[in-house]
Amino acid sequence: MLETVLWALVTAGSLLLGAVIALVARPGTRLIGLTIAFGAGALIAAVAYELVLEAYETNLGLAGSGFALGALSFYVGDWLIDRFGGHGRKSMSGEHQLAGAAPAIVLGTILDGIPESFVLGASIQAEGVVPVAVVVGVFASNVPEALSATSGLREAGWSTGRLMGMWSAVVAVSVLAAAVGWWSFDAMSTDGGTLAFGFAGGALLVMLADTLMPEAFELGGREAGLLTALGFAVGFVLS
């Protein structure tokens, strides 16, 4: 459990790193978009080879059911948060952030971090080793993701204390999600673990498509596709 908490702090803590960079020295938007694309590609590889494939090899039916349920659950949760003003929460545009409700933005940001953290904890418990592709993908996407969102929220008038408080809350919930993933996988039967891996894979894939990839292409341009492919290749090798 301690190993899971430490690695969760490393990956989720990268959000605080991105926020600090945004407050101190704001990099170019193109670099941010390309970095997000690379991280998203690595996470797609982790979903394919460390979650879905493993679940599929154990029980195809349960893997498919869990995957569909996870995708639908994240979609519904994200849709509800968007309805209450959480849309555009990762945007660098202050206009998008001004249009959103603060509680919805915070909840939406927390929701985005839960699947990847759960995956981290469950993977450490299941494999007994750190899932390097997940760690690299999450870290590489979290820093520019937080940088982008912090820039937009700062432009919308959020204070430094409020911003750091939000990201600290996201880190805390992410660490908790990783611990829950570790504990729940330990307590589950083989079939339960298969269902959980499929669920996490579906939720994570929808999160990538809904929040990370659009921002990557908006900021990084056409080359974001190439960086996504590179991230996938790196994630595949690490997996």
Side-chain angles (χ1 to χ4, degrees):
M1 173 69 82
L2 179 59
E3 182 182 24
T4 297
V5 170
L6 290 175
W7 280 106
L9 283 172
V10 169
T11 55
S14 59
L15 292 168
L16 288 172
L17 176 61
V20 170
I21 293 174
L23 294 172
V24 175
R26 182 173 172 177
T29 57
R30 186 173 177 77
L31 177 61
I32 294 171
L34 294 177
T35 309
I36 291 175
F38 177 86
L43 284 175
I44 291 172
V47 169
Y49 296 106
E50 294 193 13
L51 295 177
V52 177
L53 180 61
E54 182 169 333
Y56 164 79
E57 291 176 342
T58 304
N59 188 314
L60 174 59
L62 280 176
S65 298
F67 186 86
L69 184 60
L72 184 61
S73 296
F74 187 91
Y75 171 81
V76 172
D78 188 63
W79 177 79
L80 288 173
I81 287 173
D82 285 353
R83 293 268 295 179
F84 286 99
H87 62 284
R89 55 188 175 272
K90 301 298 176 64
S91 175
M92 291 189 72
S93 170
E95 294 180 3
H96 287 144
Q97 309 292 13
L98 283 170
I105 290 174
V106 175
L107 286 175
T109 306
I110 289 174
L111 176 67
D112 293 341
I114 289 177
E116 58 198 29
S117 299
F118 182 92
V119 166
L120 176 65
S123 297
I124 291 176
Q125 176 59 257
E127 304 295 335
V129 296
V130 177
V132 181
V134 175
V135 171
V136 170
V138 171
F139 194 95
S141 60
N142 272 358
V143 172
E145 179 185 345
L147 202 158
S148 174
T150 300
S151 298
L153 290 168
R154 183 72 175 206
E155 188 179 334
W158 283 43
S159 67
T160 300
R162 190 181 186 188
L163 286 166
M164 298 308 291
M166 182 193 76
W167 289 119
S168 297
V170 174
V171 170
V173 174
S174 296
V175 172
L176 179 62
V180 169
W182 185 93
W183 174 83
S184 61
F185 199 88
D186 182 49
M188 287 178 183
S189 63
T190 301
D191 285 347
T194 299
L195 189 68
F197 262 13
F199 184 96
L204 187 53
L205 195 59
V206 173
M207 185 276 290
L208 289 170
D210 183 67
T211 63
L212 286 190
M213 295 307 300
E215 189 77 358
F217 278 90
E218 180 182 345
L219 300 178
R222 293 174 57 87
E223 287 73 20
L226 294 175
L227 267 293
T228 302
L230 177 61
F232 183 91
V234 172
F236 171 75
V237 171
L238 295 175
S239 297

